[in-house]
Amino acid sequence: MRILASSSLLIFSTLFTGAVYASQTCSGNWTNTNTIRDKIDLGDGITMTTSINKGSLTSQNSKQQGIGACTNVTISYPDGTFRSFYVCARRGENGVFVDHGGMKPKAKNGTWNVDKGTGTGDYKNLSAKGSYKIKLIDDAVAMGTFEGKCKY
């Protein structure tokens, strides 16, 4: 009976640990500094702004930490709303990870994704998704937070 109970506990612990390892909460902070920016007036009150930024991403609970660059495209509409898209590539301690996402018109938070197989080293098998919040932003610098689920 004791062996059966120990075996059951061992199996449960192994399954539970595997589930936690397979998908974990990941969160942290990001910052970007604008290096190049171009705004195009498309007419009828619509503009497209493109930018290239250098920045960093830090996390206390995941391997997603690194420095690198992002490119952004923002379409602004006459009613004051906008839609944005981005892609970033950052070098961590043991590889490069790539995330992409954006923000829909009238949304309070943006979404981000890391597609499995788009990174190298420690990030080769990383897949992740979540949301981000912009905390501070001006023409030169943006800062915010991110949270989501990551699988390594």
Side-chain angles (χ1 to χ4, degrees), residues 102-124:
M103 189 176 287
K104 294 181 179 180
K106 299 182 182 179
K108 293 181 181 179
N109 300 324
T111 59
W112 59 271
N113 295 281
V114 176
D115 296 328
K116 185 176 179 179
T118 59
T120 64
D122 284 351
Y123 310 105
K124 185 176 182 179

Side-chain angles (χ1 to χ4, degrees), residues 10-27:
L10 181 61
I11 290 169
F12 176 78
S13 297
T14 302
L15 290 173
F16 182 75
T17 303
V20 170
Y21 178 75
S23 181
Q24 70 182 52
T25 298
C26 48
S27 60

